[in-house]
């Protein structure tokens, strides 16, 4: 695979303070360097091509601002870090850094927020086996498209809250997570299947970008009545969550199982 090389491997590396400022610009949505950087340091980073002048804003037309350049991003990377981050382009599990990486490089990626460790349940739990994934900051650094890292269950909880309905995220004995509604004789469990190499898990906590299966609703009520619903996939987790909340709210009103399943 191709290697994401710095613009000039022989160019001086940023100092610790310069890296702090460059990372601040990388993290900023507008890519702007924070105010207050000493003029001497600004000029040096501009000379090395790491920064360029940004257009003046209407709010502060006289305030000089600087934005990160591609060369500035490259300066934050070593070849080893670049190879590790870009390895997700060919990994069998989307977003996962699967190739062998030196522990020192891996620790640095995680410390700088360019990678994170998640369990098979999509959570950061040090008591379970963890796997390494590129973060949105890491994607931004190597110019890969960013993804929605909001936990899927957060969207469904918010969609129900907008309908005035309270639900909770619960874990079962296997560690799978669901969004659960309970009131009177009704219990509804909402989850999404997530593929992990070798098996599926049922999840409400995996980041939205890791979900490629729709919401499923399992509702039990009365003595032994039950109904199941699967929503179409591909609309985006937020939109799918809004539709599921709307469909379930309508079912609560009239308890029409056939209409709910077909909606």
């Amino acid at each position: 695979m191709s290697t994401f090389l710095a613009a000039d491997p022989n160019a001086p590396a940023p100092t610790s303070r310069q890296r702090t400022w460059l990372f601040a610009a990388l993290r900023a949505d507008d890519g702007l360097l924070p105010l207050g950087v000493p003029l001497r340091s600004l000029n040096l980073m501009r000379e090395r091509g790491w920064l360029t002048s940004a257009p003046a804003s209407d709010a502060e037309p006289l305030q000089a601002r600087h934005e990160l350049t591609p060369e500035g991003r490259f300066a934050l990377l070593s070849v080893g870090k670049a190879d590790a981050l870009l390895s997700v382009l060919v990994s069998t599990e989307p977003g996962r850094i699967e190739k062998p990486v030196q522990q020192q490089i891996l620790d640095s990626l995680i410390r700088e927020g360019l990678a994170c460790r998640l369990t098979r349940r999509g959570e950061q739990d040090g008591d379970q086996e963890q796997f390494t994934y590129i973060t949105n900051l890491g994607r931004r650094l190597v110019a890969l498209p960013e993804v929605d890292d909001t936990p899927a269950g957060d969207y469904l909880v918010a969609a129900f809250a907008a309908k005035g309905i309270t639900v909770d995220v619960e874990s079962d004995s296997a560690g799978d997570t669901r969004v659960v509604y309970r009131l009177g004789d009704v219990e509804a469990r909402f989850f999404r299947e997530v593929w992990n190499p070798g098996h599926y898990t049922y999840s409400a906590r995996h980041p939205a970008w890791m979900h490629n299966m729709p919401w499923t609703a399992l509702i039990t009520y009365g003595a032994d009545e039950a109904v199941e619903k699967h929503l179409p996939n591909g609309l985006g987790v937020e939109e799918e969550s809004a539709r599921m909340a709307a469909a379930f709210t309508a079912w609560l009103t009239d308890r029409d199982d056939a209409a709910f399943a077909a909606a």
Side-chain angles (χ1 to χ4, degrees):
M1 61 179 292
S2 61
T3 300
F4 191 75
L5 291 172
D8 181 1
N10 298 316
T15 65
S16 177
R17 293 186 70 193
Q18 289 168 348
R19 286 183 66 83
T20 297
W21 294 323
L22 293 174
F23 262 113
L26 180 70
R27 292 187 178 95
D29 291 337
D30 55 11
L32 293 180
L33 200 70
L35 295 172
V37 177
L39 181 60
R40 183 173 179 275
S41 295
L42 275 175
N43 290 338
L44 185 59
M45 289 189 286
R46 282 171 56 93
E47 289 172 5
R48 292 178 177 171
W50 300 340
L51 300 174
T52 188
S53 296
S57 68
D58 294 336
E60 297 178 306
L62 301 180
Q63 178 67 62
R65 299 301 302 270
H66 298 83
E67 59 187 356
L68 193 64
T69 64
E71 289 79 8
R73 289 190 288 110
F74 301 163
L76 293 170
L77 280 168
S78 65
V79 172
K81 286 184 178 180
D83 279 349
L85 293 174
L86 286 173
S87 71
V88 302
L89 292 172
V90 295
S91 59
T92 57
E93 183 183 348
R96 182 177 163 191
I97 299 174
E98 297 175 336
K99 65 171 291 183
V101 179
Q102 293 180 9
Q103 190 62 46
Q104 182 180 0
I105 292 176
L106 202 56
D107 290 343
S108 181
L109 289 173
I110 292 171
R111 184 173 58 253
E112 293 174 337
L114 304 173
C116 67
R117 291 190 177 101
L118 297 174
T119 70
R120 281 288 176 232
R121 308 300 174 184
E123 300 172 324
Q124 293 180 326
D125 185 346
D127 293 332
Q128 300 180 43
E129 184 179 12
Q130 294 181 314
F131 304 87
T132 307
Y133 297 86
I134 188 173
T135 63
N136 271 338
L137 189 66
R139 290 173 178 274
R140 185 178 299 180
L141 184 57
V142 294
L144 293 179
E146 295 183 39
V147 295
D148 185 354
D149 56 8
T150 305
D154 288 5
Y155 281 126
L156 189 56
V157 170
F160 275 122
K163 299 288 186 182
I165 296 175
T166 300
V167 293
D168 296 299
V169 177
E170 298 181 0
S171 299
D172 63 15
S173 58
D176 291 331
T177 53
R178 299 168 173 82
V179 174
V180 180
Y181 169 90
R182 292 189 185 89
L183 187 65
D185 67 340
V186 177
E187 177 178 283
R189 292 169 291 160
F190 306 88
F191 60 88
R192 301 174 73 101
E193 285 186 325
V194 175
W195 169 251
N196 287 308
H199 66 286
Y200 280 99
T201 58
Y202 297 91
S203 174
R205 298 307 304 165
H206 278 74
W209 70 266
M210 298 179 78
H211 287 270
N212 58 8
M213 300 289 284
W215 282 112
T216 293
L218 298 175
I219 305 171
T220 57
Y221 64 100
D224 52 7
E225 300 289 335
V227 61
E228 180 174 337
K229 178 177 179 60
H230 303 270
L231 274 178
N233 198 25
L235 303 175
V237 176
E238 185 172 14
E239 174 64 21
E240 293 165 14
S241 299
R243 294 191 181 203
M244 178 60 84
F248 180 70
T249 301
W251 179 86
L252 283 175
T253 301
D254 54 32
R255 297 212 180 176
D256 186 337
D257 290 0
F260 175 71

